[in-house]
Amino acid sequence: MQISDRIIVALDVPTKAGAIALLDRLPQVSFWKVGLELFISAGPEILQELQHRHKRIFLDLKLHDIPNTMAGACRAVGRYGVDLLTVHATAGNEALAASLTAVAEGAAETGCAPPQLLAVTVLTSIDARMLALELNVPLELPEQALKLAMLAQEAGVTGIVCSPQEVAELRRVLTRDAVLVCPGVRPAWSVAADQRRVMTPAEALAAGADYLVVGRPITGAADPAVAFDRVCEECATVGSS
Ligand code: C5P
């Protein structure tokens, strides 16, 4: 796989028109992430637009609900033919296992491959202070991320979303088939904004990430195409796999 195929760009814009403008500006991006803002405003049509352009799709819905509702939503997403889908690990073992079964059922209905489920561990915008004082979680980072990743793996969900700062430890303890996806990636030349537990793209890949999610450092750059190429060049120094 080329390095550029491991860089997922977050299509975090409010409208379909804005998304199309960004897709037109970045034809070299092969993998796009559709998050809650765009999916809620533009609906599944945006997925068809991406599929029409032969792009890979990460549908970042971060589902978190009771098992029956998670399963229903996952069955519906399974029909779309997307590549990756996020669910929150904190939904628990039963909900994660039900989600896994349901994406496969949905995909079978339309004859497409089911998406790889990714369990979100601890959001990359949450730091140690917030975890302890706002959420009252007794474990520290990265133990909490590790605990949630193990919970997901036990439920059969092999994909994990984690901070680059946890990726090396997760790579060490999880099974070999784990797919590790890291947001919270910030090139040295960009600002962190609300992301707290950040690393540069090259560092995150070197630590063991399979895919990186990069949003504003690319989409908010004066020239997004130059920014994307720069991220790819920096990552190429780590070597492709
Ligand atoms: O602009 P930025 O690079 O911070 O975008 C990161 C993207 O990754 C956002 O769309 C955000 O919702 C998503 N994400 C994250 N942390 C997670 C899971 C997803 O930042 N744990």
Side-chain angles (χ1 to χ4, degrees):
M1 204 194 298
Q2 289 183 353
I3 281 287
S4 58
D5 295 328
R6 297 169 64 188
I7 312 291
I8 305 174
V9 180
L11 200 43
D12 286 337
V13 289
T15 62
K16 186 181 172 192
I20 288 175
L22 207 47
L23 293 175
D24 287 342
R25 282 193 86 175
L26 285 166
Q28 62 275 66
V29 174
S30 63
F31 212 150
W32 286 94
K33 184 174 84 71
V34 174
L36 284 172
E37 181 182 20
L38 183 59
F39 193 72
I40 289 171
S41 66
E45 259 181 49
I46 189 61
L47 307 179
Q48 288 162 8
E49 179 68 37
L50 285 159
Q51 282 164 339
H52 179 66
R53 293 172 187 240
H54 305 289
K55 303 298 181 186
R56 298 185 75 201
I57 303 171
F58 171 5
L59 189 54
D60 187 17
L61 298 184
K62 295 193 183 70
L63 301 173
H64 189 182
D65 213 309
I66 59 171
N68 187 55
T69 305
M70 295 268 286
C74 284
R75 195 171 295 108
V77 172
R79 297 184 195 114
Y80 289 148
V82 299
D83 298 280
L84 303 174
L85 168 69
T86 42
V87 291
H88 270 286
T90 45
N93 188 298
E94 189 186 338
L96 294 174
S99 299
L100 204 57
T101 307
V103 279
E105 289 168 357
E109 286 174 30
T110 50
C112 50
Q116 163 78 53
L117 283 190
L118 300 175
V120 175
T121 54
V122 180
L123 293 174
T124 43
S125 56
I126 293 179
D127 61 15
R129 190 198 62 82
M130 290 164 75
L131 195 68
L133 300 182
E134 293 182 21
L135 305 179
N136 286 323
V137 172
L139 289 183
E140 292 192 11
L141 284 164
E143 284 73 26
Q144 174 70 358
L146 190 62
K147 185 184 164 199
L148 292 173
M150 296 300 282
L151 169 80
Q153 191 171 267
E154 277 157 26
V157 175
T158 52
I160 303 290
V161 179
C162 63
S163 137
Q165 292 181 0
E166 286 117 38
V167 76
E169 178 67 1
L170 291 181
R171 179 58 74 205
R172 200 178 61 75
V173 299
L174 295 176
T175 52
R176 285 171 69 96
D177 56 351
V179 176
L180 302 181
V181 179
C182 291
V185 177
R186 287 290 177 267
W189 39 268
S190 66
V191 293
D194 53 350
Q195 297 284 15
R196 302 278 157 82
R197 306 187 336 269
V198 298
M199 265 191 196
T200 68
E203 285 169 343
L205 283 184
D210 293 297
Y211 294 96
L212 307 179
V213 176
V214 191
R216 290 161 290 180
I218 292 173
T219 56
D223 189 332
V226 168
F228 178 75
D229 291 344
R230 207 169 156 188
V231 169
C232 292
E233 278 163 28
E234 286 175 22
C235 289
T237 59
V238 181
S240 55
S241 68

